[in-house]
Amino acid sequence: MQSRFMRTATGKAVVPILMAFLLTAVFTSFLSAQTAPEVYSKVKIFTESPQDLLTLREAGMGLDHGYQTEKYLEVFLDSRQMSLLKKTGLNYEVLIPDWNAYYDQNIAMNPAEMKSLQREMKKQYGVQGFEFGSMGGFYTLAEVLTELDSMHLLYPNLISARQSIGTSVEGRDIWMVKISDNPGIDEGEPEVLYTALHHAREPQGMMTVIYFMYQLLENYGTDPEVTFLVNNRELYFVPVVNPDGYEYNRQTNPNGGGMWRKNRLNNGDGTFGVDLNRNYGFQWAYDDNGSSPYTGDQTYRGTAPFSEPETQAIRDFCNAHQFQLALNYHTYSNLLIYPWGYINALPPAPDDQIFINLAVDMTQFNGYAYGNASQLLYPVNGDSDDWMYGEQTTKPKIFTMTPEVGSASDGFWPNPNRIYPLAQENVYPNLRLAWGDEVITADPLDPVPPGSVVAYSDYTTPASMLLSWSDPNALANGDTLLPGDFTIEIERDGAAIASIAGGTETYTDNGLADGVMYTYNLYTKVVATDSLSEVVSVSWTAGGAPQPSAPSNFFVT
């Protein structure tokens, strides 16, 4: 028999050049297949009745996100879902046959266009640190880490260095940072959590979170609300929950537009990925409508609750902390969703009204619709919100909601000119969540704030301001507070200017500019424990009246 190998003069076997070429070609083809983007289509499905929606769910399509009206549903479908849709017999219209081609032709911008748009956005929104990333305007995973490192370098007293809370299926770290006035220590202050990118094709959520982080860092000390929240909260951020899926989208679509959703678990049957937002332990696999048992589905829930290291990391992180509120960012549909997801019902009273009150406040400017998942989209089981709120044994309940950022026209990969506006319209909701009305209440050992706070200046004192107040005499629990037990801390326009011993009740702030309005924050600080009260704010103009403007359009003839 002829040998399959040639031999060199030294007797060592070598592979013939042709065989080496074939092996290389096969291997290259295999790698290409692993990183080739799936073809997705945007489809309008005509649904004349609730039964039509039930037909779609029973077909095992695992629908995720969409724009729904009484007459139709617009969704993105992969090739498998398209095949299932055809079998249902429902009427449909293909709006975008090939999303990747559409993105390249209609949304992607060249570097010169991106640079020009960046200048315009910075000028309009005034956030200096936040910029476009290299993936269709969105940060790549590596660029996210660069941003976190840059924030810590620029603001080491406000934001911690990034810390890993766990690793992904492929071994990538899942990073967390904390923003507070003492980011390196546990301050015992109310804790709030913000996450993004459970789903890898939803980068606007991550951009919205990082934009908000820059808002906090850049406005600390000048914006009274930001300053108070950073001083009195511990704000935690996990901008990329699903690093493998997001990196996979970069590999298949380096210019943006990648539509991979799940993590990158090899399911062992030719399919990849688990939907991380169906893998949490509360009511996991409640039914097959809110999640799927089939590995190839977009909403495949995994083999067991918390089977995935990514959801384990979030679980363990929450169990190790005392989070009171959280936002888990997704896209899209201009919604704010709260529990329950697994059934069409609200949490038990009185929490139902707390969720509603929070949602009403948070959406008053961006106009997002609010409600539970079944009311707004479809049932969801095994999701992060239900677990964070519903699991109350291993940790306290967390008042958790999911913003779905962007409209149907924005989709999963908005035009770059929409990145800043979508992030900006969620700054107010992020701030209101951190206030945590009806959720975050005074610690019994915190002091009562100063009362009857007044600031006054008139034409006789144009360069000074007289502050007066009444001292507190108790802690929040009613225990007596004596003048020697506390100080009154005073900030002007967000910057600390004085610490006044109890029993004084007045302070004169000098060196001011006549006609300029100043805002003062006053709060009580217990000397022995450093416990702080809520802040009382007051504003007044030095000299008693604003500096008048010079006459305009003045001329002499």
Side-chain angles (χ1 to χ4, degrees):
M1 177 188 288
Q2 184 177 5
S3 171
R4 290 176 295 171
F5 296 96
M6 297 175 64
R7 293 190 176 272
T8 65
T10 60
K12 294 181 179 180
V14 297
V15 181
I17 294 176
L18 178 59
M19 183 175 290
F21 173 79
L22 291 174
L23 288 173
T24 301
V26 169
F27 183 66
T28 302
S29 176
F30 173 76
L31 289 179
S32 299
Q34 289 295 299
T35 57
E38 168 76 83
V39 174
Y40 285 83
S41 304
K42 187 174 184 179
V43 182
K44 176 186 285 188
I45 306 171
F46 296 97
T47 53
E48 300 294 334
S49 69
Q51 179 59 44
D52 290 340
L53 293 172
L54 183 60
T55 298
L56 292 172
R57 289 199 294 268
E58 290 177 343
M61 293 184 65
L63 294 177
D64 170 65
H65 292 87
Y67 175 69
Q68 185 173 336
T69 71
E70 293 182 357
K71 297 294 184 181
Y72 63 87
L73 172 69
E74 286 186 8
V75 289
F76 283 92
L77 303 179
D78 60 25
S79 56
R80 176 186 173 278
Q81 291 170 310
M82 283 296 298
S83 177
L84 292 173
L85 173 61
K86 293 173 183 177
K87 295 177 181 179
T88 66
L90 295 176
N91 293 322
Y92 64 90
E93 175 186 353
V94 177
L95 303 176
I96 300 175
D98 185 336
W99 163 254
N100 292 311
Y102 178 86
Y103 178 87
D104 291 339
Q105 296 170 9
N106 295 280
I107 297 180
M109 290 185 174
N110 63 46
E113 292 172 325
M114 291 295 295
K115 189 173 182 180
S116 175
L117 181 61
Q118 178 70 80
R119 289 194 298 267
E120 178 185 334
M121 293 290 101
K122 278 200 170 189
K123 182 178 180 180
Q124 181 175 351
Y125 291 94
V127 182
Q128 296 306 307
F130 183 81
E131 296 182 334
F132 288 133
S134 64
M135 191 162 59
F138 298 92
Y139 296 130
T140 64
L141 179 61
E143 288 167 349
V144 170
L145 305 188
T146 298
E147 291 301 313
L148 299 182
D149 292 343
S150 177
M151 289 179 189
H152 178 61
L153 182 65
L154 293 172
Y155 305 95
N157 296 326
L158 296 178
I159 183 170
S160 69
R162 55 185 165 98
Q163 303 170 41
S164 175
I165 63 170
T167 54
S168 65
V169 166
E170 296 180 341
R172 293 183 176 88
D173 285 299
I174 299 168
W175 297 103
M176 170 279 295
V177 293
K178 171 189 168 185
I179 291 180
S180 188
D181 59 334
N182 294 290
I185 63 174
D186 183 353
E187 304 168 276
E189 296 172 344
E191 296 181 338
V192 182
L193 174 65
Y194 302 84
T195 78
L197 278 176
H198 272 80
H199 294 150
R201 64 184 179 185
E202 302 175 12
Q204 182 61 47
M206 171 270 295
M207 299 296 282
T208 298
V209 166
I210 292 181
Y211 182 92
F212 177 57
M213 294 168 68
Y214 271 115
Q215 282 273 355
L216 294 173
L217 298 172
E218 293 181 7
N219 289 284
Y220 179 79
T222 57
D223 183 301
E225 180 179 25
V226 167
T227 304
F228 172 80
L229 290 173
V230 172
N231 285 345
N232 294 277
R233 301 288 186 268
E234 296 182 62
L235 307 174
Y236 290 84
F237 300 86
V238 183
V240 183
V241 175
N242 182 3
D244 295 348
Y246 194 53
E247 174 63 12
Y248 181 76
N249 275 330
R250 185 198 64 81
Q251 293 170 0
T252 60
N253 298 74
N255 296 320
M259 292 291 281
W260 186 261
R261 163 188 168 88
K262 302 183 285 184
N263 75 353
R264 289 297 297 169
L265 177 72
N266 187 337
N267 294 317
D269 59 359
T271 68
F272 284 80
V274 170
D275 183 344
L276 298 179
N277 206 38
R278 302 297 188 277
N279 189 241
Y280 285 83
F282 189 86
Q283 298 295 341
W284 179 85
Y286 177 79
D287 60 29
D288 291 344
N289 291 325
S291 64
S292 173
Y294 304 112
T295 59
D297 283 357
Q298 296 286 355
T299 57
Y300 172 51
R301 59 188 173 232
T303 57
F306 293 113
S307 61
E308 305 311 294
E310 296 90 347
T311 53
Q312 293 169 24
I314 298 298
R315 176 198 63 193
D316 296 345
F317 186 52
C318 289
N319 285 341
H321 285 265
Q322 300 287 316
F323 294 120
Q324 294 182 250
L325 301 108
L327 286 180
N328 297 306
Y329 267 94
H330 289 254
T331 65
Y332 59 92
S333 291
N334 286 352
L335 304 174
L336 183 61
I337 304 173
Y338 45 70
W340 299 109
Y342 77 101
I343 55 172
N344 187 10
L346 289 172
D351 291 351
D352 58 348
Q353 196 58 51
I354 293 176
F355 274 110
I356 293 171
N357 292 344
L358 283 169
V360 169
D361 187 5
M362 292 166 64
T363 61
Q364 64 176 298
F365 297 114
N366 63 21
Y368 286 14
Y370 55 85
N372 66 26
S374 292
Q375 293 171 331
L376 298 172
L377 289 172
Y378 38 72
V380 174
N381 55 60
D383 75 306
S384 60
D385 287 2
D386 279 7
W387 178 81
M388 287 185 181
Y389 174 75
E391 170 51 59
Q392 299 178 19
T393 301
T394 62
K395 59 165 188 56
K397 64 185 174 186
I398 306 172
F399 285 81
T400 315
M401 292 183 278
T402 287
E404 296 279 2
V405 181
S407 66
S409 60
D410 292 312
F412 294 118
W413 291 84
N415 188 295
N417 65 21
R418 293 284 292 152
I419 292 175
Y420 275 76
L422 291 172
Q424 178 63 39
E425 73 184 23
N426 283 282
V427 169
Y428 178 82
N430 287 335
L431 292 171
R432 294 312 305 167
L433 183 89
W435 281 103
D437 293 342
E438 301 182 75
V439 177
I440 297 176
T441 56
D443 188 301
L445 298 180
D446 284 346
V448 172
S452 305
V453 177
V454 174
Y456 185 76
S457 176
D458 61 21
Y459 69 95
T460 65
T461 59
S464 65
M465 188 82 64
L466 176 64
L467 301 175
S468 64
W469 61 88
S470 60
D471 277 344
N473 57 17
L475 299 176
N477 65 6
D479 289 351
T480 300
L481 195 63
L482 299 175
D485 295 335
F486 65 89
T487 59
I488 300 299
E489 304 298 312
I490 302 175
E491 298 176 350
R492 183 210 308 134
D493 293 337
I497 59 171
S499 180
I500 308 300
T504 307
E505 298 189 323
T506 62
Y507 173 75
T508 300
D509 186 22
N510 295 304
L512 305 180
D514 187 9
V516 175
M517 176 176 284
Y518 295 92
T519 297
Y520 295 88
N521 296 330
L522 282 73
Y523 54 92
T524 310
K525 179 179 179 180
V526 179
V527 175
T529 64
D530 285 340
S531 295
L532 306 179
S533 73
E534 294 295 309
V535 170
V536 179
S537 297
V538 62
S539 299
W540 194 261
T541 301
Q547 183 70 40
S549 300
S552 58
N553 299 321
F554 179 78
F555 64 93
V556 176
T557 59

